[in-house]
Amino acid sequence: MRETPAPLHPHGSRAAPDIGQVLELLEIAWERGRDTLSTAPLSAAQTRVMYIIEREPGINASTLGRRLSAAAPSVTRLCDRLQAAGFLRRTPRPQDRREMQLELTDSGTAHLHGIRRRREQALQQAMSRMPPDAQHALATGLSALCDAVSEPARALGHRESA
């Protein structure tokens, strides 16, 4: 019988040790499914840029840099590569033509949809081997985790400046 170790922090979750095991399994699954889960021909950083631009069409490079916690030259290089690949379009902002806004091209949007579709299929395949109550519990838990992960930034009054 396996005994669950006591949490390191007195207020910590008893699930924390299990979460470590889940993260390790996710790393293994990621390696096994490298072709299925890949973002190729883009890097993970370039794909992250595309996700941000998709959520915030028309974002400018300086705001993108803050979202990425990246320096301006790094953001410029990422955007240059995405534009060269045909996934990103820079256009002058109508209110201030000196400022460029970033938008995904149709090819960029299609690439993100392809990534999501492959990942969703892989996840659905894995989850199909789980009982329905476990599937529901996983979905509920992951939703709560997403809410909790975004909460610290709001609780600390973290705001993006314009």
Side-chain angles (χ1 to χ4, degrees):
M1 183 161 120
R2 195 175 84 138
E3 212 174 295
T4 304
L8 298 176
H9 188 276
H11 301 292
S13 167
R14 293 186 59 79
D18 293 333
I19 291 171
Q21 291 173 351
V22 169
L23 292 174
E24 290 171 11
L25 289 173
L26 285 172
E27 288 176 0
I28 292 167
W30 188 266
E31 284 300 315
R32 286 184 186 160
R34 187 177 291 267
D35 293 335
T36 303
L37 305 174
S38 171
T39 61
L42 302 179
S43 69
Q46 291 168 325
T47 303
R48 183 173 174 217
V49 165
M50 289 180 58
Y51 284 137
I52 293 169
I53 294 170
E54 181 186 49
R55 278 191 313 272
E56 300 179 53
I59 190 172
N60 64 28
S62 61
T63 302
L64 177 61
R66 286 193 299 276
R67 300 279 189 278
L68 295 168
S69 298
S74 297
V75 173
T76 299
R77 280 192 301 277
L78 284 166
C79 290
D80 287 347
R81 290 181 185 130
L82 288 170
Q83 188 171 10
F87 293 150
L88 175 72
R89 174 178 41 252
R90 292 175 171 128
T91 57
R93 185 170 305 280
Q95 302 88 339
D96 182 353
R97 299 198 57 77
R98 294 171 296 172
E99 184 180 354
M100 301 301 275
Q101 59 187 16
L102 308 172
E103 298 171 324
L104 296 182
T105 63
D106 290 342
S107 295
T109 300
H111 184 72
L112 287 183
H113 286 291
I115 291 171
R116 285 187 181 108
R117 188 177 52 256
R118 288 190 312 273
R119 290 176 175 180
E120 286 171 9
Q121 288 171 345
L123 181 59
Q124 286 174 350
Q125 186 178 36
M127 288 182 70
S128 71
R129 296 188 294 270
M130 297 169 56
D133 59 331
Q135 291 178 25
H136 178 71
L138 177 62
T140 301
L142 288 175
S143 177
L145 179 62
C146 287
D147 291 344
V149 167
S150 65
E151 187 61 32
R154 285 185 290 207
L156 294 174
H158 230 276
R159 285 183 222 125
E160 296 293 332
S161 56

